Amino acid sequence: MSRTYPPNMMPAGASILPVPPAWQPARKHSSTFYIVVIAAIVIGVLAFLNVLPMLLESAGITGFFTSALLAAIPLAVTFVFVFAIDRFEPEPTWLYVAALLWGGGVAVVLALAGNSWWHDELAPALLGQNASQNDIMRFTASVGAPVVEEFAKGLGIILIFLMFRKHFNGPVDGIVYGAIIGGGFAFTENILYFTAYYEQLGELFKIRFLDGPLSHDAYTAFFGFFIGFAVYSRSKASILLWFIPAMIGSMFFHYTNNDGLYWMSYDQYRFVNNVPIAILIIAMVLYSRNHEVTAVRDGLRPYVNSGWVSSQEANMVLSLRERENAKKWAEQSTRAQGAPQGVGRTAMNTFQMELVQLAHERTRHERLRTVGSTMYLDSANDKLAYVNHLRSGFALR
């Protein structure tokens, strides 16, 4: 069986084989994947367009674009965070876009409707006739908004889990999708605030970002972290059990942010709404990254022991530096044999991602004790055949 090697492990005298005529550098997603994700993007765009008049009416077109530019700064920071933690197994760009539009469009529309109902109907009914308008507003902002908005954002994570199960492999993916959805929600919400109070734009930007950079993206990342563990449950319905701590945690931090100034000073408020959640986010990311690497290492071990995957290939996949070295080597080698530019790099990247998916699937089935099932064996055989097919594009002799 042919093997691939990172440059520092390549045997002396090894050379690249000609690319087989039938070899393809990457396997496309199924047509169902594209249909569903495009439908999700269209729904997200339509939802954002539904909110757009509200964004334009207060400060006009100039105010809108100025506000959008400022609102894009925290969103850019969120994406830097996402790309940093998702390098080990990046998700499809299509899903990044769908998650962003869910947060910035669909979740905002749901939240506006839910908050209005809470303020107009539920709060007066629960607080009674003696409740003042200030009581209703505080109850809506401090209790209603955390419930409504975290559910609206979290629903997007749950839908990704149910509809794009292949691209949801654990808590890291939950954090990633949650951060993007929350970042999209914060983007649209910030524009709403900036345009509504345009005269105080600078001060509002300081309060909402410089003094409190961790908000919706952090809350929803916390939600996604818990949903990520549902991948190791036999039934998709188990997501309902993980939904409980996900909602409680995200609502708690949201409540503290919205209600904190009623019972603490501003300096205390800034500390409480930044330091604890920053520590928690760092701890979640470190735990999740270690969890992901462990899952891939353990999942590849049976294939290494049985000879389907070499130890060099497994070690290469576990190191981002070695992955990059291998892609450079594959590109140089295939170009030397007359292949078009990008073929070798693309093939090696696809090969690496297929090994990661193979490992995740093995670990998941081992934890579910379903390694002997026909479903798993058929899927594993299909992946192994495709991995070997990719390997043939840069095989050594």
Side-chain angles (χ1 to χ4, degrees):
M1 182 181 297
S2 301
R3 297 295 183 204
T4 60
Y5 298 85
N8 60 333
M9 298 179 183
M10 187 171 164
S15 60
I16 201 75
L17 290 173
V19 179
W23 178 75
Q24 297 295 324
R27 178 169 52 182
K28 302 295 184 181
H29 293 293
S30 67
S31 57
T32 302
F33 172 88
Y34 286 113
I35 291 172
V36 174
V37 79
I38 290 174
I41 290 174
V42 170
I43 292 172
V45 170
L46 292 176
F48 182 80
L49 292 176
N50 184 67
V51 180
L52 188 59
M54 296 179 60
L55 305 178
L56 292 170
E57 65 183 2
S58 299
I61 295 179
T62 301
F64 165 75
F65 280 108
T66 302
S67 299
L69 182 62
L70 288 177
I73 296 174
L75 180 61
V77 173
T78 297
F79 269 100
V80 169
F81 166 78
V82 164
F83 293 145
I85 69 170
D86 205 30
R87 293 173 61 204
F88 192 81
E89 186 211 351
E91 308 310 324
T93 303
W94 285 91
L95 283 184
Y96 286 153
V97 175
L100 179 65
L101 288 171
W102 179 276
V106 178
V108 172
V109 171
L110 294 176
L112 287 172
N115 287 336
S116 295
W117 169 78
W118 193 289
H119 179 276
D120 298 339
E121 304 291 338
L122 187 60
L126 293 176
L127 298 178
Q129 296 180 349
N130 295 327
S132 66
Q133 187 60 31
N134 285 337
D135 292 335
I136 293 174
M137 290 181 64
R138 178 181 177 182
F139 185 66
T140 301
S142 301
V143 180
V147 173
V148 171
E149 294 175 12
E150 295 312 317
F151 177 80
K153 293 181 295 174
L155 182 60
I157 300 175
I158 293 173
L159 289 175
I160 291 174
F161 176 88
L162 295 175
M163 300 174 71
F164 303 102
R165 183 64 186 76
K166 176 184 175 182
H167 302 289
F168 209 127
N169 290 312
V172 167
D173 292 349
I175 292 174
V176 165
Y177 293 130
I180 294 175
I181 290 173
F185 188 95
F187 173 76
T188 303
E189 185 182 68
N190 280 335
I191 298 175
L192 282 168
Y193 277 102
F194 293 163
T195 54
Y197 303 96
Y198 195 64
E199 288 89 11
Q200 293 86 38
L201 181 59
E203 181 64 20
L204 200 58
F205 178 77
K206 176 180 180 294
I207 293 173
R208 291 188 62 83
F209 176 58
L210 298 180
D211 288 351
L214 299 174
S215 59
H216 288 288
D217 45 4
Y219 311 150
T220 319
F222 189 82
F223 188 105
F225 170 76
F226 282 100
I227 298 301
F229 290 102
V231 303
Y232 299 112
S233 301
R234 287 180 179 270
S235 171
K236 289 183 178 180
S238 65
I239 199 172
L240 297 175
L241 297 177
W242 290 106
F243 173 81
I244 296 173
M247 275 294 290
I248 291 175
S250 58
M251 287 190 305
F252 171 77
F253 289 111
H254 199 155
Y255 163 80
T256 303
N257 179 78
N258 287 14
D259 199 67
L261 285 177
Y262 286 100
W263 38 275
M264 66 178 84
S265 69
Y266 191 69
D267 287 339
Q268 292 173 328
Y269 174 83
R270 286 193 301 173
F271 178 85
V272 168
N273 284 285
N274 286 289
V275 176
I277 197 168
I279 294 174
L280 181 62
I281 289 293
I282 292 172
M284 282 196 320
V285 169
L286 292 177
Y287 172 85
S288 299
R289 286 294 301 273
N290 181 69
H291 179 277
E292 183 174 46
V293 172
T294 301
V296 172
R297 184 183 63 239
D298 293 348
L300 286 177
R301 186 175 292 117
Y303 296 109
V304 173
N305 293 339
S306 61
W308 281 102
V309 176
S310 73
S311 59
Q312 294 96 332
E313 289 170 342
N315 290 331
M316 177 261 291
V317 166
L318 293 172
S319 167
L320 293 177
R321 178 179 297 179
E322 291 302 330
R323 285 192 201 178
E324 182 59 28
N325 289 340
K327 282 185 277 192
K328 290 178 180 178
W329 167 80
E331 178 65 13
Q332 293 170 358
S333 300
T334 53
R335 287 296 301 277
Q337 293 296 315
Q341 183 176 358
V343 168
R345 187 176 186 86
T346 300
M348 179 62 78
N349 182 70
T350 306
F351 175 77
Q352 293 166 354
M353 291 300 98
E354 286 295 323
L355 285 182
V356 169
Q357 287 293 331
L358 184 72
H360 273 303
E361 188 169 335
R362 174 77 185 202
T363 297
R364 183 163 56 248
H365 281 277
E366 283 187 349
R367 295 184 182 183
L368 295 175
R369 299 180 181 178
T370 54
V371 172
S373 67
T374 301
M375 178 184 69
Y376 165 71
L377 294 175
D378 288 346
S379 175
N381 286 335
D382 178 65
K383 286 183 180 296
L384 286 169
Y386 186 60
V387 163
N388 202 43
H389 175 64
L390 288 168
R391 187 185 283 123
S392 68
F394 38 82
L396 298 173
R397 62 182 177 186

